[in-house]
Amino acid sequence: PFLIFLHALPAGPQIVVSVYGPDVFGNDVVRGYGAVHVPIEPGRHIRTLPMFVPESTSRLQKFTSWFTGRRPEFTDPRVVAQGEGREVTRVRSQGFVTISFNVV
């Protein structure tokens, strides 16, 4: 069972998807983040979001994350939607999520 949180941002018609699920120890950890612009023309639109997860930058941080069961995650969903500051964030690709929009 996975939890999916949708965050609508006021800065523009964009949806941020945060997916959480259990790890091998039963802790809820982030499985992926993704963002997509909401289409504004009427009709049905299907969008595929590439998902990513933040990674620790050093071996010590990776070991500490594994040992404590706490992986790196973003606290603010706006970080995912904005490109600012993401060039210094290490992330790993983590699959895809497909969203269907019905715009009236």
Side-chain angles (χ1 to χ4, degrees), residues 61 78 84 86:
Q61 287 176 336
R78 288 180 288 195
E84 185 178 325
R86 286 213 354 230

Side-chain angles (χ1 to χ4, degrees), residues 18-91:
S18 304
V19 180
Y20 290 83
D23 64 0
V24 294
F25 301 112
N27 301 322
D28 275 339
V29 294
V30 65
R31 293 295 189 175
Y33 294 108
V36 64
H37 287 277
V38 177
I40 56 174
E41 53 280 332
R44 182 177 178 160
H45 307 276
I46 297 176
R47 299 288 188 261
T48 302
L49 285 72
M51 303 298 284
F52 61 90
V53 291
E55 275 197 335
S56 300
T57 55
S58 70
R59 290 183 190 252
L60 178 62
Q61 287 176 336
K62 286 181 184 180
F63 175 74
T64 305
S65 296
W66 175 82
F67 186 71
T68 61
R70 298 286 304 164
R71 295 184 183 174
E73 61 181 80
F74 297 126
T75 56
D76 188 2
R78 288 180 288 195
V79 172
V80 177
Q82 298 171 347
E84 185 178 325
R86 286 213 354 230
E87 67 274 359
V88 295
T89 305
R90 183 176 289 185
V91 296

Side-chain angles (χ1 to χ4, degrees), residues 85-100:
R86 286 213 354 230
E87 67 274 359
V88 295
T89 305
R90 183 176 289 185
V91 296
R92 176 174 36 94
S93 182
Q94 191 71 18
F96 297 90
V97 169
T98 302
I99 296 180
S100 174

